[in-house]
């Protein structure tokens, strides 16, 4: 059985300066309760690996507004002008990575690969500082693995041993991030007894998950 903890307990585990992977696509499929707890805890100097930084004060954008993030590794920041402002002012270091390359770098980190080869960005500014490898007369960029101290993810359902399922587009980066975090904390819409999730429907096996965020008790008026 996985330990179910509160969002506040999850935030207490994360020190200032930690490297985090946070699931979501413009806030869809993001672990909003954990994000809120990190903001409330006043975390600072975080490095966040994610598809994007959400919108102003929404999703990862809440951490941006709280000045909690020192570095972002993402495929774009176009939906959050506050991230753009922080980059221009030099308060936030932004490393832009093509979306497919970002997903593959995370997968490489989770699967124990030394990197992936891609031609995306070849001969552009995106290739600056990257290693070029020649294969059969063609140049390829070596995209190195990405890992994190914590993977903070969201899922639709979890069971008591941490098996996870996802729903539609809220799946996005969450499953691959679950493979690449040293500590994986999953926030779910509901937690169900073992057996209610068919083995065929398990997207992330419980062996990858360290903690579940417990559900809030429903109050009866």
């Amino acid at each position: 059985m996985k330990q179910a903890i509160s969002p506040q307990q999850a935030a207490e585990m994360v020190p200032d300066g930690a490297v985090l992977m946070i699931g979501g696509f413009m806030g869809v499929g993001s672990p909003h309760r954990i994000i809120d707890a990190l903001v409330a805890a006043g975390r600072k100097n975080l490095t966040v690996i994610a598809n994007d930084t959400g919108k102003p004060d929404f999703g990862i954008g809440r951490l941006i507004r709280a000045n909690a993030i020192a570095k972002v590794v993402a495929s774009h920041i176009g939906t959050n002008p506050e991230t753009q402002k922080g980059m221009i002012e030099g308060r936030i270091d932004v490393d832009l990575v093509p979306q497919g390359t970002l997903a593959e770098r995370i997968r490489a980190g989770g699967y124990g690969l030394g990197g992936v080869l891609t031609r995306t960005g070849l001969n552009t500014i995106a290739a600056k500082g990257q290693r070029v490898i020649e294969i059969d007369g063609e140049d390829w960029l070596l995209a190195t693995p990405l890992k994190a101290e914590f993977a903070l993810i969201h899922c639709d359902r979890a069971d008591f041993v941490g098996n996870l399922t996802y729903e539609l587009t809220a799946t996005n980066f969450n499953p691959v991030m679950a493979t690449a975090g040293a500590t994986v904390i999953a926030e779910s819409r509901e937690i169900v007894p073992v057996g209610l999730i068919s083995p065929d429907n398990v997207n992330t096996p419980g062996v990858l998950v360290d903690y579940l965020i417990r559900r809030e008790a429903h109050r009866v008026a």
Side-chain angles (χ1 to χ4, degrees):
M1 298 296 178
K2 298 298 178 182
Q3 182 179 355
I5 61 176
S6 69
Q8 293 73 27
Q9 288 173 310
E12 289 172 2
M13 294 181 186
V14 177
D16 289 346
V19 178
L20 312 179
M21 288 182 180
I22 302 181
F25 192 106
M26 294 191 298
V28 176
S30 292
H32 294 285
R33 296 171 65 206
I34 303 177
I35 290 171
D36 288 347
L38 289 170
V39 172
R43 291 294 170 265
K44 299 295 181 184
N45 298 317
L46 301 174
T47 294
V48 171
I49 301 167
N51 177 69
D52 55 76
T53 56
K55 302 176 183 179
D57 207 30
F58 179 72
I60 296 172
R62 287 189 43 73
L63 291 168
I64 294 291
R65 179 162 290 186
N67 295 314
I69 297 178
K71 181 176 181 178
V72 169
V73 181
S75 69
H76 73 88
I77 58 173
T79 57
N80 195 334
E82 295 179 358
T83 308
Q84 299 168 35
K85 187 173 185 288
M87 179 181 70
I88 292 169
E89 294 176 349
R91 294 184 288 106
I92 302 175
D93 180 11
V94 176
D95 182 4
L96 293 175
V97 181
Q99 191 174 79
T101 304
L102 179 65
E104 284 296 278
R105 290 180 66 186
I106 295 170
R107 184 180 69 86
Y111 281 50
L113 303 178
V116 293
L117 296 175
T118 178
R119 303 200 78 201
T120 303
L122 193 65
N123 299 320
T124 73
I125 192 173
K128 184 178 180 181
Q130 294 193 45
R131 183 177 173 187
V132 177
I133 295 177
E134 183 181 323
I135 301 176
D136 295 332
E138 291 187 329
D139 287 341
W140 295 78
L141 293 177
L142 174 63
T144 54
L146 287 172
K147 297 181 182 181
E149 296 168 75
F150 297 88
L152 309 179
I153 64 174
H154 179 274
C155 65
D156 184 59
R157 304 176 91 194
D159 66 19
F160 296 151
V161 295
N163 295 311
L164 311 181
T165 66
Y166 306 92
E167 184 74 8
L168 303 173
T169 59
T171 301
N172 53 70
F173 278 77
N174 287 297
V176 71
M177 286 182 173
T179 70
T183 298
V184 177
I185 305 176
E187 176 181 315
S188 65
R189 181 180 63 82
E190 63 176 345
I191 301 175
V192 300
V194 175
L196 288 189
I197 299 176
S198 167
D200 289 338
N201 294 330
V202 171
N203 303 119
T204 295
V207 69
L208 296 176
V209 178
D210 296 290
Y211 299 96
L212 299 173
I213 297 298
R214 64 171 175 249
R215 300 306 306 156
E216 294 175 332
H218 293 286
R219 295 183 180 179
V220 178

